[in-house]
Amino acid sequence: MGGEQEGAAVPQSSKGSWSSFLKQMSSFNGDLSTMTAPAFILSTTSLTEFSAYWAEMPRHLVAPVTEANAEKRMVLVLKWFLSTLKQQYASRNEKLGSEKKPLNPFLGELFLGKWEDDAGTTQLASEQVSHHPPVTAYSIWNNKHGVRLQGYNAQKASFGRTINVRQVGHAILHIDEYDEDYLITLPGLHIEGLITGSPFVELNGSSYIVSSTGYTAKIDYSGRGWLSGAKNSLSATIFPHGKEKSKSDVLYTAEGSWTNDFTIKDAKKNTVESYSAKKESKTPLKVADIKDQDPLESRRAWQKVAAAIEKGDLNTTSSEKSVIEESQRALRKKEAAEGKEWERRFFSRVKSSAPFEKLVKEVPGGSLEANQTDGIWVFDGEKAKEAKPPFSKLSEEIKDGWK
Ligand code: HC3
């Protein structure tokens, strides 16, 4: 960070609060939701919305279905996964000028929508399945092509030179046509630009995609300053299960940048796929108008908080946040008194996940860590069929608080 001007991107009026924020970070407990950040760095978007980043280009998600060869399907699954990274980790920077602190979802918060384009209809159900620790689960499905993605994630953070975030959780992509699964693990990340006041995400470490057809993709992430590499670099290999250490078994390699261009080459170094993030168009997600949303839906639930953040009105931001927090506390109290647990609308907690257990063997050190995510979460098709608005079974008085 040498040479960077401290707090350069921080509004003059927020310089004091930014340096207190940085100081407070040194005694940080690892739960990102408890972090109190200055007003100028607050986002109006809840983390439940982030699940949409997996499918903003549905054509890439469904592309593997039309490929009859399992090895080549793995290449297309890798291409789709790499294509999601820019949206997941750099889009807020591009849109807002820096990474901001997302709204911390309440238990049961929903974010629902669909993409409609040449790939048909691709649907999204994202739900906050746990508040402490914060865990978001999602399911994205396209019935026309028989493609289903589901997963859940939590974050474990620590503070050193920067904020280091380990992602706990995983995703599973299922392709009906071949009845196959792909286990997707999640990369580590850290926040750069803290000193200057314009935080952004850099990815680090490795993540895996393991297919039930016998192939594994390992993706390595590095950034600027890492062995003098370029920002947002990626390097990946595809190999048969169990052959990670064998260079002669590498079937494909991918090199490039997850925010710009990457290419995928076969073992003979012929380019089989190329991707240029800047040239790709996204399909806008359709979300119901706020007035038609259920009180549990994210944009409706947070609308007053979001409006106050937008105006820079700190008092209203915190009083409107308190309305939500107090209703949540009241609900938890009521549930405890009745000996009940909040009923998730789309997901269920299960004892084990067969596809995960089978495929994780190919991920060095991979494990479920269910204790970090309040359980193992799966999309519950039966519940989802029933889950029509109103989703909320809240008492009228609590609903009133949220109007
Ligand atoms: C760490 C993060 C919240 C979590 C975000 C996750 C891991 C959520 C799941 C998505 O699929 C991928 C994803 C992308 C970005 C991650 C966020 C980046 C920053 C945010 C922190 C809580 C905010 C830190 C606050 C500040 C002021 C330093 O920006």
Side-chain angles (χ1 to χ4, degrees):
M1 280 194 276
E4 288 172 20
Q5 209 195 328
E6 195 164 330
V10 180
Q12 195 55 40
S13 57
S14 305
K15 291 231 153 115
S17 58
W18 186 247
S19 51
S20 323
F21 168 70
L22 294 181
K23 278 187 201 124
Q24 159 215 307
M25 288 307 299
S26 52
S27 55
F28 177 54
N29 68 3
D31 179 351
L32 287 165
S33 63
T34 63
M35 186 165 79
T36 12
F40 81 95
I41 208 88
L42 299 180
S43 157
T44 56
T45 307
S46 154
L47 267 182
T48 53
E49 292 208 22
F50 284 38
S51 308
Y53 293 137
W54 285 105
E56 293 194 306
M57 294 174 282
R59 62 189 174 280
H60 292 305
L61 175 70
V62 303
V65 177
T66 44
E67 174 55 67
N69 177 291
E71 193 177 303
K72 292 183 183 160
R73 269 200 307 282
M74 182 64 173
V75 172
L76 293 174
V77 171
L78 174 65
K79 182 182 176 188
W80 156 72
F81 172 77
L82 298 177
S83 79
T84 66
L85 296 176
K86 182 177 177 193
Q87 289 309 108
Q88 297 261 24
Y89 303 105
S91 57
R92 294 161 304 279
N93 253 18
E94 280 194 356
K95 208 172 135 202
L96 311 168
S98 88
E99 191 66 65
K100 299 208 168 189
K101 185 175 184 296
L103 294 167
N104 176 31
F106 55 87
L107 178 61
E109 182 176 325
L110 299 172
F111 184 63
L112 310 170
K114 60 182 173 190
W115 296 269
E116 277 169 337
D117 61 11
D118 293 346
T121 301
T122 307
Q123 280 174 269
L124 164 74
S126 175
E127 178 168 8
Q128 193 69 12
V129 291
S130 169
H131 184 63
H132 280 305
V135 183
T136 311
Y138 50 88
S139 176
I140 294 174
W141 66 102
N142 180 305
N143 285 336
K144 181 176 165 194
H145 294 274
V147 174
R148 303 160 207 291
L149 176 78
Q150 60 165 306
Y152 60 93
N153 46 256
Q155 296 85 39
K156 280 262 135 204
S158 60
F159 188 72
R161 186 188 66 86
T162 167
I163 302 175
N164 290 300
V165 182
R166 189 169 73 82
Q167 295 201 68
V168 188
H170 63 271
I172 291 177
L173 176 72
H174 183 83
I175 303 182
D176 292 353
E177 174 75 11
Y178 311 101
D179 193 16
E180 64 193 18
D181 291 312
Y182 295 81
L183 167 67
I184 298 161
T185 70
L186 307 167
L189 59 100
H190 58 275
I191 313 283
E192 291 285 344
L194 279 176
I195 290 286
T196 55
S198 50
F200 63 92
V201 168
E202 264 289 12
L203 298 181
N204 50 247
S206 313
S207 74
Y208 287 80
I209 306 176
V210 183
S211 79
S212 57
T213 53
Y215 303 101
T216 302
K218 181 187 185 220
I219 306 118
D220 294 316
Y221 306 90
S222 58
R224 203 172 44 196
W226 179 255
L227 300 176
S228 43
K231 208 177 157 191
N232 307 339
S233 298
L234 70 90
S235 168
T237 47
I238 296 180
F239 44 86
H241 284 180
K243 300 288 185 188
E244 178 170 345
K245 299 273 179 293
S246 164
K247 278 197 174 153
S248 59
D249 281 301
V250 170
L251 301 167
Y252 296 91
T253 55
E255 294 291 338
S257 151
W258 50 268
T259 38
N260 284 310
D261 304 336
F262 64 79
T263 49
I264 307 184
K265 293 184 177 168
D266 64 16
K268 291 187 185 126
K269 304 218 169 3
N270 297 315
T271 299
V272 291
E273 291 292 336
S274 52
Y275 183 85
S276 191
K278 293 206 165 113
K279 294 189 191 134
E280 295 280 339
S281 61
K282 288 176 290 302
T283 302
L285 179 75
K286 289 186 181 162
V287 178
D289 282 347
I290 287 186
K291 64 173 175 26
D292 302 324
Q293 287 183 14
D294 187 88
L296 289 177
E297 286 187 73
S298 189
R299 290 187 188 171
R300 173 153 170 201
W302 289 106
Q303 66 175 322
K304 288 184 181 166
V305 174
I309 293 175
E310 210 71 82
K311 279 196 225 137
D313 178 347
L314 252 190
N315 289 338
T316 314
T317 303
S318 80
S319 63
E320 289 298 339
K321 269 191 184 169
S322 300
V323 172
I324 296 182
E325 283 158 10
E326 274 157 30
S327 339
Q328 284 291 305
R329 266 194 288 276
L331 268 174
R332 299 294 85 81
K333 221 171 144 184
K334 189 167 173 270
E335 286 157 12
E338 291 169 357
K340 285 188 190 150
E341 193 186 356
W342 175 261
E343 195 191 313
R344 280 70 173 177
R345 299 299 184 262
F346 291 88
F347 296 86
S348 287
R349 195 189 275 117
V350 292
K351 290 209 165 65
S352 65
S353 157
F356 180 90
E357 304 294 349
K358 192 174 151 216
L359 300 174
V360 76
K361 293 180 187 127
E362 300 302 319
V363 180
S367 74
L368 261 179
E369 299 183 90
N371 58 335
Q372 307 270 8
T373 54
D374 195 20
I376 305 166
W377 297 96
V378 292
F379 182 64
D380 190 326
E382 290 308 307
K383 270 189 179 177
K385 264 189 233 148
E386 301 297 313
K388 294 187 180 68
F391 300 104
S392 172
K393 291 178 191 153
L394 307 178
S395 70
E396 285 310 313
E397 78 222 75
I398 287 165
K399 266 193 195 169
D400 283 347
W402 284 7
K403 265 177 199 159

